[in-house]
């Protein structure tokens, strides 16, 4: 019945986020904040390699989720929204940034969830899709949220944006997005 709230000072965005953080701290003592019966407790755990499953673990088992699909989607959405809020909060941004992974981390988490069984794998795929849907709605020009932003501007001002401006914004943000993905990929490979 315990709820893990923080791992190594990082607020958690879900099971996959916890599994990724645990994997980065093999054989190192780490502080973990849990909620038990409404009280916050601090524990020290040392993640160890489980050679049979080839993954780093802290010796816990997750309770089987029995909530409705809508509650599961709402929980997944609130996790990514908490992470996005932490990224723009000065005191939490550094810790939140450490919890973000690129394609290698996502592939590792997919492998871990599938090796844990069908239901954890299905839950992680649901979590990943909900997160990608929300991220796609951010008001960044290369994403769908950016197109919505441009359309709202045109509706409110009754003027079209200059095509060159839209083109430049799309290219600039495409390069920035690719650079962030490359940076996350390099960091994931270094941490592996």
């Amino acid at each position: 019945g315990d709820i893990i709230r923080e791992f190594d000072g990082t607020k958690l965005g879900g099971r996959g986020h916890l599994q990724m953080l645990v994997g980065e701290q093999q054989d190192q003592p780490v502080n973990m904040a849990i909620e038990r019966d409404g009280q916050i407790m601090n524990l020290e755990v040392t993640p160890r390699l489980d050679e049979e499953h080839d993954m780093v673990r802290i010796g816990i088992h997750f309770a089987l989720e029995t909530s409705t699909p809508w509650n599961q989607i709402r929980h997944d959405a609130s996790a990514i929204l908490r992470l996005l809020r932490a990224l723009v909060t000065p005191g939490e941004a550094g810790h939140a940034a450490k919890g973000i992974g690129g394609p290698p981390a996502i592939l590792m988490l997919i492998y871990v969830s599938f090796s844990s069984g069908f239901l954890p794998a299905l839950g992680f795929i649901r979590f990943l899709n909900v997160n990608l849907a929300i991220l796609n709605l951010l008001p960044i020009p290369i994403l769908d949220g950016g197109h919505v932003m441009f359309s709202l501007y045109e509706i409110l001002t009754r003027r079209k944006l200059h095509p060159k401006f839209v083109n430049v914004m799309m290219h600039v943000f495409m390069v920035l997005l690719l650079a962030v993905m490359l940076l996350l990929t390099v960091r994931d490979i270094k941490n592996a």
Side-chain angles (χ1 to χ4, degrees):
D2 295 341
I3 301 171
I4 302 172
R5 295 296 183 191
E6 291 185 11
F7 186 83
D8 194 24
T10 302
K11 291 184 180 178
L12 299 174
R15 290 182 187 182
H17 186 203
L18 174 63
Q19 289 169 330
M20 184 177 70
L21 293 173
V22 168
E24 295 172 352
Q25 301 293 335
Q26 182 177 345
D27 298 325
Q28 299 175 28
V30 178
N31 288 322
M32 182 169 75
I34 66 165
E35 182 180 333
R36 179 179 292 166
D37 299 325
Q39 301 289 326
I40 299 294
M41 299 173 55
N42 290 307
L43 305 174
E44 185 175 281
V45 296
T46 304
R48 302 277 187 217
L49 178 65
D50 178 353
E51 293 181 7
E52 180 183 343
H53 295 98
D54 191 33
M55 61 189 294
V56 179
R57 296 184 177 206
I58 57 173
I60 63 170
H61 293 281
F62 292 110
L64 187 62
E65 291 182 22
T66 56
S67 62
T68 65
W70 175 246
N71 285 339
Q72 292 173 355
I73 290 171
R74 188 172 52 204
H75 179 268
D76 293 343
S78 68
I80 189 64
L81 293 173
R82 280 193 311 268
L83 179 65
L84 291 171
R85 188 173 351 154
L87 283 172
V88 296
T89 303
E92 300 177 16
H95 287 298
K98 289 179 185 175
I100 297 175
I106 293 170
L107 290 173
M108 187 268 301
L109 289 171
I110 289 172
Y111 170 76
V112 167
S113 64
F114 273 90
S115 66
S116 299
F118 177 72
L119 287 179
L122 192 63
F124 180 73
I125 297 300
R126 179 200 69 234
F127 177 76
L128 184 63
N129 279 293
V130 169
N131 286 329
L132 289 174
I134 290 173
L135 289 175
N136 192 40
L137 292 175
L138 291 175
I140 297 172
I142 195 72
L143 303 176
D144 287 343
H147 293 287
V148 170
M149 188 176 60
F150 289 151
S151 296
L152 285 174
Y153 174 83
E154 290 178 11
I155 289 170
L156 293 173
T157 63
R158 298 188 185 271
R159 290 186 314 204
K160 283 195 165 281
L161 285 166
H162 195 280
K164 282 188 178 180
F165 173 77
V166 173
N167 195 23
V168 167
M169 292 298 288
M170 297 292 257
H171 282 89
V172 166
F173 278 92
M174 180 179 64
V175 169
L176 289 174
L177 188 62
L178 289 172
V180 167
M181 294 304 291
L182 182 63
L183 179 71
L184 290 173
T185 299
V186 169
R187 188 181 73 177
D188 290 345
I189 292 170
K190 280 184 179 178
N191 291 336

